[in-house]
Amino acid sequence: MARSEPDEVSAPGEMRVFWFLLLTMVVVVTAVTLAVVGGGGSAVLQDVPPERFTDPLPAARPVGRADIEALRLPMALRGYRMVDVDEALSRLGAELAERDARIVELESTLAGDRAAAVTTGTDLFKRPGDRPAPEPADRVDGPDRTEEDGR
């Protein structure tokens, strides 16, 4: 019987290169894994606290248009965080309710002042320091209007 030889004959140098590349790949994968996971004394990728909503809406003054335009809500995994959106919307709703109440109060005060001015005959547009306009006096040297109309 004849001895069968393998189809491919590999040189001893090719096996060394194969084992060298395999060992290098294992070392690289291990190093990358340890760097990402944080093996050793210090973590390369530190945990980042989740982005939190810091209320940029002013607490000491009413909310203005520029405050609303500058409002940026933090992103979550699937959009915006509902808690942060609810907080911002409730604050804006409270501001609008307060402004609506103030507008109603001012309009009722204005309506009351107008009604009082109509009944008393005072001028609403007169400034507090202005003197009343003098009443027109009858002209002494001029002809009387009633006599001219009678002619």
Side-chain angles (χ1 to χ4, degrees):
M1 278 194 119
R3 190 170 156 198
S4 67
E5 293 186 33
D7 293 339
E8 293 182 24
V9 176
S10 62
E14 289 179 8
M15 283 304 285
R16 287 187 195 134
V17 171
F18 170 77
W19 285 109
F20 174 75
L21 289 176
L22 183 67
L23 182 64
T24 305
M25 186 176 71
V26 169
V27 169
V28 169
V29 168
T30 304
V32 169
T33 304
L34 287 176
V36 170
V37 172
S42 65
V44 175
L45 299 176
Q46 298 178 2
D47 290 336
V48 177
E51 190 175 4
R52 297 293 302 166
F53 177 61
T54 55
D55 188 12
L57 298 175
R61 63 176 173 81
V63 176
R65 179 183 177 129
D67 298 324
I68 302 300
E69 290 174 354
L71 179 66
R72 296 291 177 257
L73 299 171
M75 296 294 291
L77 182 62
R78 293 177 45 201
Y80 295 104
R81 292 175 32 112
M82 288 193 314
V83 174
D84 296 335
V85 173
D86 290 343
E87 287 177 9
L89 289 177
S90 65
R91 173 71 193 277
L92 292 174
E95 288 281 335
L96 289 174
E98 185 178 318
R99 286 183 183 182
D100 290 344
R102 180 72 175 144
I103 289 171
V104 167
E105 176 187 337
L106 291 173
E107 286 177 344
S108 65
T109 303
L110 181 61
D113 289 346
R114 284 183 180 168
V118 168
T119 58
T120 60
T122 59
D123 185 13
L124 288 177
F125 299 107
K126 183 174 66 172
R127 292 187 185 140
D130 291 346
R131 287 191 269 152
E135 295 287 328
D138 291 337
R139 296 178 78 181
V140 177
D141 52 288
D144 193 15
R145 285 225 175 263
T146 55
E147 290 178 11
E148 283 183 13
D149 291 338
R151 286 191 208 177

